[in-house]
Amino acid sequence: MITAAQLRAARALAGMDQKTLAEKAGVSLPTIQRMEASPGNVRGVVDTLAKIIAALDTAGIELIGENMPSQGSGRGVRLKAPSQ
């Protein structure tokens, strides 16, 4: 699963606003807004989430699951647990 913060960061890294991501993914703007505002993991229809992930992938964004290695190359950013 991806988190709302991860989705917002991925979109920002791609240089897209919510409307552009919605258009590229073929989903509604309120869907993107709702997913990005959700607490914790993004919730929604699996097909819709797959469309969003595919649109981000086409834009060159790799979403990395927790404790998973990156499969791509190039520069990037990874979230980690904050230091105590």
Side-chain angles (χ1 to χ4, degrees):
M1 285 306 287
I2 65 172
T3 66
Q6 188 179 16
L7 180 56
R8 290 189 304 271
R11 182 178 53 75
L13 193 58
M16 287 188 228
D17 59 16
Q18 290 178 330
K19 182 180 180 198
T20 302
L21 178 57
E23 290 169 355
K24 291 190 178 291
V27 302
S28 71
L29 176 58
T31 296
I32 300 294
Q33 293 169 331
R34 184 179 63 253
M35 287 180 161
E36 288 192 1
S38 59
N41 289 336
V42 170
R43 297 184 204 263
V45 178
V46 173
D47 183 55
T48 301
L49 190 53
K51 288 178 182 178
I52 293 167
I53 291 169
L56 290 167
D57 185 67
T58 299
I61 303 300
E62 177 188 5
L63 293 167
I64 305 167
E66 189 170 346
N67 298 319
M68 299 298 294
S70 171
Q71 300 301 312
S73 61
R75 297 177 185 194
V77 176
R78 185 171 194 133
L79 297 172
K80 68 175 191 168
S83 300
Q84 301 258 346

